[in-house]
Amino acid sequence: MEISELNILYEDNHIIVVLKPQMLPCCPDESGDNNLFDLVKEYIKVTYNKPGNVFLGLIHRLDRPTGGVMVFAKTSKAAARLSEQLKSGGFEKRYFAVLCGVPQRKRAVLENYLRKNSVNNMVYVCTQTEEGAKFASLEYVVKEEKAGLSLAEIKLNTGRTHQIRVQTASLNCPVYGDMRYGGEKAVKGKLALWAYSLRFSHPTTGDALRFMIEPPKVEAPWKFFDFDILN
């Protein structure tokens, strides 16, 4: 991916909001692959002819196979204020997910304790007393059902590694395309998990901002659902 291919949803002197494509890492990792963070830094450096190392604040993350909206900070002050919003719950992150199967409850709050195995990079539902256990909470609403699949809108209340994938799999309704956590119900394909909405306050003006972008509706399994019902 080149900087000319960046999909910039919004930019000012303090923040830049971009679309993260699926399978592009959001930041540098052990793979050494091209990543969104470095691309945005290069974009700022080239576009504004900035010398030296350009500042860019990483506020939140998306897994490599997940696409959707991300915001980066262009100043240290903006980074600090956005990070504080993230910690205090002022950040609202909403996702669409296509699930294999239909949850028994069409609307619910899922609360679990999760622990990560750093050896295999897998996350597991566990008890509160297990070492490394972290509380995880999300809210979901099933919007539509079709051919054994369901379209769910998910609001994250915590930000744990692989949280949505693990918690939906615990309902025996794994995310479509999730070969890691899908078990016997796993369906091959692109991971159908999309960060479609990000809501927060502007770090300097305090204005309420919301950025939204729909998943790739021409691709399976998104194309099986009617997104007009969400308007």
Side-chain angles (χ1 to χ4, degrees), residues 37-98:
F37 182 84
D38 287 340
L39 282 168
V40 174
K41 281 185 71 171
E42 184 65 17
Y43 159 80
I44 294 171
K45 184 181 181 68
V46 170
T47 303
Y48 301 103
N49 195 26
K50 287 185 174 289
N53 187 34
V54 172
F55 176 87
L56 190 68
L58 179 67
I59 309 303
H60 62 120
R61 299 169 187 264
L62 290 176
D63 292 343
R64 180 188 282 240
T66 305
V69 184
M70 287 194 71
V71 59
F72 295 93
K74 294 172 68 175
T75 66
S76 57
K77 179 185 288 187
R81 291 179 177 177
L82 288 175
S83 295
E84 184 55 40
Q85 282 189 55
L86 190 63
K87 291 177 183 176
S88 65
F91 242 64
E92 184 189 87
K93 295 181 283 186
R94 291 182 181 265
Y95 294 72
F96 286 137
V98 177

Side-chain angles (χ1 to χ4, degrees), residues 110-225:
L110 293 184
E111 295 183 342
N112 300 101
Y113 283 88
L114 307 179
R115 63 174 176 83
K116 182 179 179 180
N117 184 328
S118 57
V119 176
N120 62 7
N121 196 34
M122 292 279 286
V123 178
Y124 302 91
V125 174
C126 66
T127 63
Q128 182 178 356
T129 56
E130 287 188 50
E131 184 177 355
K134 293 184 177 180
F135 178 71
S137 173
L138 63 78
E139 304 168 36
Y140 74 84
V141 179
V142 174
K143 293 289 187 177
E144 193 178 1
E145 304 167 26
K146 194 165 292 185
L149 302 174
S150 54
L151 175 67
E153 181 185 19
I154 297 170
K155 178 187 172 186
L156 273 184
N157 297 325
T158 57
R160 307 304 182 199
T161 302
H162 299 172
Q163 179 181 335
I164 293 174
R165 297 164 65 181
V166 176
Q167 288 193 277
T168 56
S170 73
L171 298 177
N172 198 31
C173 293
V175 177
Y176 181 103
D178 194 348
M179 305 308 293
R180 181 184 293 249
Y181 297 106
E184 294 180 354
K185 298 186 74 171
V187 176
K188 287 186 178 180
K190 274 189 179 179
L191 187 73
L193 181 59
W194 189 265
Y196 88 92
S197 172
L198 196 58
R199 191 197 302 264
F200 57 91
S201 298
H202 192 279
T204 59
T205 67
D207 291 343
L209 302 176
R210 188 182 190 189
F211 301 97
M212 295 186 291
I213 190 162
E214 291 181 334
K217 295 190 294 182
V218 296
E219 298 180 5
W222 304 108
K223 66 181 182 180
F224 303 143
F225 297 95

